[in-house]
Amino acid sequence: MKTILKSTSLALLAILFIFSSCSNKQAGNAQMMSQVREYLVQEVSPKSITLYQNFPATLEGEQTVEIRPRVAGYIEKIFVDEGDYVKKGQVLFQLNANDIRAQVRSAEAQIKVAESQVATAKIELEKTEPLVEKNIISEFQLESVKTNLQSAEAQLAQAQANLANAKANLEYTMISSPTNGFIGTFPYRVGSLVSSSVTLPLTTVSNTASMRAYFSMNEKAFLQLIKNLEGATTAEKLANLPEVDLILPDQSVYAQKGKIEIASGIVDPQTGAINMRASFPNAEGNLRSGGSGNIRLPNYLEDVLLVPQPASYEIQGKHFVYVTNSENKVVNTEIQIIAGDLKDVFVVTSGLKAGDKIVVEGITTLRDGMEIKPKLAGEAVAQSNQPSNN
């Protein structure tokens, strides 16, 4: 009887253990299910975007002329001031001309002497020719008279040249502007002795009706810039570039658009850069030679994929995102990007395709192959890029 009771008790204990095990297993499964976290995901789709690149630039007027004296003399008068706007032909400086006026008077006197000698030689020739015809004097004497006349005429020509040169030097004492533009600084003042050999010019005149902005970009960026442009030559491709902006030192955008005109045909072996030039209209004179700024180039991209920057992470220069698969598991995926000047998103060039769903929040808690509960986010990527002036 005791044996039967003992067997019955063992059987009941076994049944209770089985039920307890099943119950614990179900509770564990329920707990595991409750541990699958919800993550916000976003589906990537093609969009059009504009990227902007900034390049430091220096400004120069289309024509900057150094004003230098052509004759030596003391500065007697200065008719303009630094920074003035002047017109072509306007007098800027006057040099003391006393010595040159004396040279003019001397040259005029030399001409009178030479003219007198020519007249005397002509009279001598007129007297000699009849005598030769009558064989009173020899042909040799006639040739001598003709030679004297030629010598007198040569001396007259020399005197006339000296006078013209003296008068030109007298005109050079009045120094005028060769072009329209703005006056630079004055290293010399009234009373300074100047000449054509002085180190510094008297001043400069900058024609700034059109400003030229000089900048450079590396060879890779240049090739990307012109790669898809129409045209058989570089010049033709540059002509098809969109207009560019000039960002001024106060971070404001210059009101007039500019156009890239040329690119140097040589890559600088030291820097690997290509020098370029853009021009901007400057009728109001707001831009000055020697100024600086940034050239902002637009790059229009069509049908590209964009990902929010917080949805990616970087390891050793490589960028990654977590893509969800059909089993709601995340796959660590490397992407190639263009950062551009976008504040919140990257442009993806490879690694993703349209329709992929990426995790956009909490990626630091994810691991490759981890199961998640995806929650589809709304549109979180901007449709267009507003350029930054920085």
Side-chain angles (χ1 to χ4, degrees), residues 88-319:
K88 182 177 181 180
Q90 183 174 340
V91 177
L92 309 178
F93 301 90
Q94 179 181 334
L95 304 183
N96 185 285
N98 292 338
D99 292 343
I100 299 178
R101 289 194 184 96
Q103 293 174 9
V104 171
R105 291 193 294 268
S106 176
E108 290 173 340
Q110 290 175 0
I111 287 178
K112 291 180 180 180
V113 172
E115 288 175 341
S116 176
Q117 291 175 344
V118 168
T120 301
K122 286 182 178 180
I123 293 172
E124 186 67 23
L125 179 61
E126 291 173 356
K127 289 168 56 178
T128 304
E129 285 178 337
L131 296 176
V132 173
E133 292 175 357
K134 296 178 181 180
N135 295 321
I136 297 175
I137 60 175
S138 66
E139 289 284 345
F140 177 78
Q141 289 176 305
L142 177 62
E143 291 300 323
S144 178
V145 171
K146 288 182 178 179
T147 300
N148 290 338
L149 175 60
Q150 291 174 350
S151 177
E153 289 175 339
Q155 291 178 358
L156 175 60
Q158 180 65 49
Q160 290 171 336
N162 290 339
L163 177 60
N165 186 56
K167 286 183 175 180
N169 287 339
L170 185 60
E171 291 180 359
Y172 294 153
T173 61
M174 303 296 290
I175 302 172
S176 58
S177 175
T179 184
N180 298 339
F182 288 93
I183 293 291
T185 58
F186 293 157
Y188 308 102
R189 299 293 175 174
V190 172
S192 299
L193 176 62
V194 296
S195 68
S196 58
S197 61
V198 293
T199 303
L200 299 174
L202 300 181
T203 189
T204 57
V205 177
S206 297
N207 185 348
T208 58
S210 175
M211 293 297 294
R212 293 174 174 176
Y214 293 90
F215 64 101
S216 61
M217 65 172 60
N218 63 52
E219 187 178 8
K220 180 180 178 181
F222 178 76
L223 293 176
Q224 291 177 341
L225 180 68
I226 66 172
K227 179 172 60 176
N228 297 320
L229 296 175
E230 296 181 359
T233 66
T234 300
E236 292 177 356
K237 288 178 178 290
L238 291 178
N240 290 319
L241 278 173
E243 292 182 318
V244 297
D245 289 318
L246 176 63
I247 310 302
L248 301 176
D250 64 355
Q251 302 305 312
S252 63
V253 181
Y254 182 58
Q256 302 290 331
K257 294 280 188 178
K259 188 69 177 176
I260 295 179
E261 295 179 329
I262 64 169
S264 65
I266 300 175
V267 179
D268 189 323
Q270 302 297 324
T271 63
I274 296 175
N275 295 322
M276 305 182 69
R277 187 185 80 198
S279 65
F280 293 84
N282 188 38
E284 297 180 357
N286 294 326
L287 303 179
R288 298 295 180 97
S289 288
S292 62
N294 283 282
I295 297 296
R296 188 171 67 191
L297 274 67
N299 183 15
Y300 304 112
L301 302 176
E302 295 183 356
D303 297 331
V304 294
L305 301 178
L306 307 178
V307 298
Q309 291 185 12
S312 69
Y313 65 96
E314 182 180 354
I315 299 178
Q316 296 181 346
K318 296 181 179 181
H319 290 79

Side-chain angles (χ1 to χ4, degrees), residues 54-65:
N54 288 355
F55 299 91
T58 57
L59 304 179
E60 290 185 15
E62 63 178 333
Q63 185 181 18
T64 300
V65 182

